[in-house]
Amino acid sequence: MFWVRFLVLALLSLAGVTQTSSSPTQASEPPTEEKPPLNTGSLSFPWRRLRLPEYIVPLHYHLLLHPNLTMLSYSGTVRIELQVQNNTNWVVLHSKGLRITTATVLDQNLAHLSDQVLPVLHNPTHEQVAIFSPRVLTGGQKYFLFLEFGADLGEGFYGFYRSTYRTSTGEIRTLASTHFEPTSARMAFPCFDEPSFKANYSISIRRSRAHTALSNMPVEQTVVLDDGLMEDRFAVSVRMSSYLVAFIVCDFSSVSATTASGVKVSVYAAPEKWQQTHYALKAAVKLLEFYEKYFNISYPLPKQDLVAIPDFQSGAMENWGLITFRETSLLYDPTTSSASDRLWVTKVIAHELAHQWFGNLVTMEWWNDIWLNEGFATYMEYISVDATYPKLRVEDYLLDTCFAAIGRDSLNSSHPISSVAESPTQIKEMFDTVSYNKGACVLHMLRHYLTDQVFQIGIMRYLRRYSYSNARNQDLWDSLANTCSEEEFTSGGHCYSNSQAAKNAYLYAGEHLDLTTMMNTWTLQTGVPLVTVARQGSRLLLKQERFLRTTHPSDPAWPSLQQGYLWHIPLTYRTDTSTSIHRHLMTTLTDSVEVGEEVGWVKVNVDMAGYYLVHYDGTGWDDLIQLLKNNHTALSFMDRTHLIHNAFQLTTAGRLSLDKALDLIGYLRSESHTVPLLQGLAYLEAFYRMVERMDIPDVTQNLSTYILWYFRGVIDRQTWSDKGSVSERRLRSELLSLACHLGDLPCLEQAQRSFTHWLDSNSTLSLPADVTETVYSVGAQEDSGWASLLHIYTLSLSETHKHKILSALASSRDTNKLHRLLELGLEGEVIRTQDLDSLIVMVARNPRGHHLAWSYVQKYWSTLVDKFQLGSFSIRNIIIGTTGQFFSTEELTEVRVFFESIHEQASQLRVTQVAMDNIQKNILWMQRNLGTLRSWLNQQIDWREKGGGRERERQQ
């Protein structure tokens, strides 16, 4: 850490300041004579814990920043009003990478407590600084801490960092933006950087006339300084956590509108991308109005800005009043954006606006409960978009969200929704599939369990009770269970006293529920349950266990991995004798329910409203296979999709034979709904890519032949256009992409013709957005096509369009071209660093590129960590995306050896064990299922060649 010489500066009150000096010291007197520094020889850092002491609480920050976009640095001052609760000589707070040049403590009257320079001690390991006051700070009193500091604008994606964009004339322009969640506000200014330290913020920013300054609140006053600079002074913020503070200095253009309640909504982007902002503005206004009505709580700020940042690591960040986005998550170009792109933009905006209540208004007390932010925001995407944009059919994607959660949660390396997280790296890793997807799916289960109305009233109570404060898991359960504190107790049935909480329940199939006990089984223990059902006369026998894809019941480790696991499962089921949904709360390892002798089939977990898998013992699977063949519409499309998913998951776990799962999807020629059709196809495509990557020619060829033969009809019905509903367009996009990848001649010929026409038009011809990526991927297989695409990539002003081009470039079978792409990604100029992790994963998914990508990761590991930070989504994406392509024990050993070589970093990461589990799962799949797949395909090919296929086609 760089040590500096301290100067003592006198300080004026910030209230009503109108100074015109361009000095970075806001509201300061001219510097006094230099005072002798206090002797620090006997002082050592006073605090040893990662989390800050609680005896000093920040109340109000007065922050002035002056970024220099030419020198790529900034200076600043902060005056923090503090409430001291215990007598102390020390103020401990966070700071990382900042040069603190002055530290002063003042009393309530802004008088200096010492005439000596106050020492600043550093603890870089904990990212903390401590300021020593010779005079004791008295408990119960308020004080002010004044700090002067400076730093370079960051090169990465955290703190106060620089970003650039290129105009159509080739000019490079620079802006400065922030990203603080979870622990990077301390990289921008000294602060109490923990979510429970909520405070008000008064922010001022100096800028040139050519730039615009944005922050959480609107500008209240702009002052012209002596040197011609402008100082924007923003209104005082509401109480909020430090990770939600944001500020930007840029030259962007914007569009604005006003909601029905008077909130000004603006969307900002680079000037030449202004035309791509209109859809986002319309969506943001509509969604913000929806949330105000749904939560019955007004949005508390006068404005809401949404800004597309050219360099941005994640999808978006919910800074209160100033949401920042990756350009692909906010900008929508009707000429190059597909139906899926439109849905993505809508969902991301919905997610971030939900955070304005879940996360901003009510914040988790600590990062172990980040799911209270992210799980809710993820689930609210589906509720809000379904209500505001029903034609997007967002409900079709909810199952995918839960399937992704199960994929992660069925590995032994998973973790509870609410988990211990102390260090910055551990905290970053909490932003994962478990917190987002599983959190959303558990809430979905709870909403269906409590009913929509009870759920909505419960979360309204939760938001009102903890507004501008922090909450924990228990606070949510109490709000949903309608409990209240003793002083809030009413006898009118609106809420119950705490003493009633254990007895309180919503009636569920005649049983009383303790909501806390039930939900703790879902949030405080790892994994996802598997319910095995078996018929015994008129009863349905039930058994629950933890579902694991890498361990079989015959394995010696099985008993220890199952010990202590028990969920309170809100079971639902449907039979052929009734249209009713039957309900039962399963709170023991084994149970049973009466279904009746006359029942033919039973489908458990109706519409997958519950977060659990189901295995049908005995003839259960055969009954359902026959039902799908004879009358698949007897089940909803969600139930059909759920059956397909569960069957293939059980196959991976060695609990169901692969041929049984393949027989289950034998009805798909009759399937008219996109979701189950794509679910079945996704598994076949996954198997194809697996054997293609493993270079198993006979299975690769036979599987390709089978898919193209079996789905010939639906492939041929696809048009190369953007016509149809969102579901139809999604099917077209994914089906034609697969057909061309499998070498389907009609598909390849049409794609090549479209690509040639597009090139001949000098790329002025507009290709149908839904098939653009497929057309580019086919065109990229030729040298000239690949070179043309790379050139157009450098010129395109649409990041969504560039992503499609990059995917096509990464599909090349030429390893030299893949090498070049990775080199361009590392350089970070032609291909932005923000896209490097996606590029590595794209190359890894290419059968010619998976070992190349892994070698690249090993060679440049340190560089990648420097660019993205350990524990970040990008690092996790790179690790999972590359190692997930491995299927052999040799590759598992290679990965293990590499992780051992970076032990100091790998030991901090949960994702390294996830990667090992994934490879082990892949190895087991090959051992358990490759032979069965080969035999089943041989039977299908033989049957087809003997005329069975023609007979089936005549029958249909």
Side-chain angles (χ1 to χ4, degrees), residues 236 288 487 683 743 829 954:
V236 179
L288 195 61
E487 58 268 21
Y683 282 109
E829 294 182 9
R954 282 196 296 272

Side-chain angles (χ1 to χ4, degrees), residues 874-887:
S874 294
I875 290 295
R876 287 179 277 134
N877 190 34
I878 289 168
I879 291 175
I880 295 297
T882 52
T883 60
Q885 314 303 317
F886 294 153
F887 292 84

Side-chain angles (χ1 to χ4, degrees), residues 149-166:
F149 59 94
D152 294 331
L153 290 170
E155 294 184 357
F157 304 96
Y158 293 95
F160 195 18
Y161 69 95
R162 63 181 182 262
S163 176
T164 61
Y165 69 93
R166 185 190 300 270

Side-chain angles (χ1 to χ4, degrees), residues 9-291:
L9 299 177
L11 185 68
L12 280 173
S13 168
L14 287 175
V17 170
T18 57
Q19 74 178 77
T20 58
S21 167
S22 61
S23 162
T25 307
Q26 182 177 4
S28 67
E29 293 178 350
T32 62
E33 62 194 80
E34 187 169 329
K35 302 292 184 181
L38 189 72
N39 185 358
T40 62
S42 61
L43 297 177
S44 59
F45 203 86
W47 192 251
R48 295 184 178 181
R49 300 177 186 174
L50 271 171
R51 293 175 63 172
L52 295 177
E54 297 179 354
Y55 56 75
I56 295 184
V57 178
L59 302 177
H60 197 142
Y61 292 78
H62 294 265
L63 178 64
L64 169 67
L65 294 160
H66 180 191
N68 187 321
L69 299 186
T70 302
M71 302 300 293
L72 302 178
S73 62
Y74 68 98
S75 57
T77 65
V78 63
R79 191 191 72 174
I80 311 173
E81 183 179 2
L82 305 172
Q83 177 70 55
V84 176
Q85 297 176 350
N86 299 333
N87 290 356
T88 182
N89 292 92
W90 291 95
V91 180
V92 181
L93 68 164
H94 288 111
S95 176
K96 181 181 180 183
L98 302 175
R99 300 181 293 272
I100 298 176
T101 54
T102 301
T104 308
V105 177
L106 306 103
D107 64 18
Q108 294 183 70
N109 299 316
L110 297 177
H112 290 259
L113 294 192
S114 173
D115 58 359
Q116 293 178 298
V117 172
L118 299 186
V120 180
L121 276 61
H122 296 255
N123 183 350
T125 303
H126 290 177
E127 302 175 355
Q128 295 171 356
V129 293
I131 291 88
F132 177 76
S133 170
R135 184 169 154 190
V136 173
L137 308 182
T138 307
Q141 298 297 311
K142 293 180 181 178
Y143 296 89
F144 294 91
L145 173 66
F146 175 80
L147 301 169
E148 283 191 335
F149 59 94
D152 294 331
L153 290 170
E155 294 184 357
F157 304 96
Y158 293 95
F160 195 18
Y161 69 95
R162 63 181 182 262
S163 176
T164 61
Y165 69 93
R166 185 190 300 270
T167 69
S168 58
T169 61
E171 179 189 356
I172 302 294
R173 295 185 181 178
T174 302
L175 62 139
S177 183
T178 58
H179 185 101
F180 292 162
E181 190 179 32
T183 60
S184 294
R186 65 193 68 172
M187 297 174 66
F189 62 99
C191 58
F192 294 77
D193 200 12
E194 294 177 6
S196 61
F197 287 120
K198 291 195 170 186
N200 301 102
Y201 291 81
S202 296
I203 296 175
S204 298
I205 297 176
R206 292 181 180 166
R207 59 172 175 85
S208 71
R209 293 178 182 272
H211 290 96
T212 298
L214 302 171
S215 189
N216 305 84
M217 301 297 290
V219 173
E220 201 169 55
Q221 179 185 17
T222 298
V223 176
V224 181
L225 306 180
D226 285 344
D227 54 7
L229 290 176
M230 315 295 286
E231 182 174 298
D232 291 325
R233 297 173 182 171
F234 297 87
V236 179
S237 77
V238 294
R239 288 187 73 245
M240 62 184 183
S241 302
S242 55
Y243 77 87
L244 295 171
V245 175
F247 31 86
I248 300 169
V249 177
C250 63
D251 66 346
F252 286 176
S253 300
S254 66
V255 292
S256 300
T258 304
T259 67
S261 61
V263 178
K264 182 181 180 181
V265 179
S266 303
V267 181
Y268 289 81
E272 291 179 305
K273 299 181 180 182
W274 176 80
Q275 291 292 340
Q276 301 175 41
T277 61
H278 297 286
Y279 176 75
L281 179 65
K282 178 182 176 182
V285 168
K286 186 179 285 193
L287 287 160
L288 195 61
E289 291 174 343
F290 168 82
Y291 284 133

Side-chain angles (χ1 to χ4, degrees), residues 408-414 526 546 548 550-551 561 565 917:
R408 173 73 171 83
D409 221 14
S410 56
L411 299 177
N412 199 38
S413 53
S414 188
T526 304
R546 182 185 175 191
L548 291 166
T550 54
T551 312
L561 293 172
Y565 283 93
D917 280 0

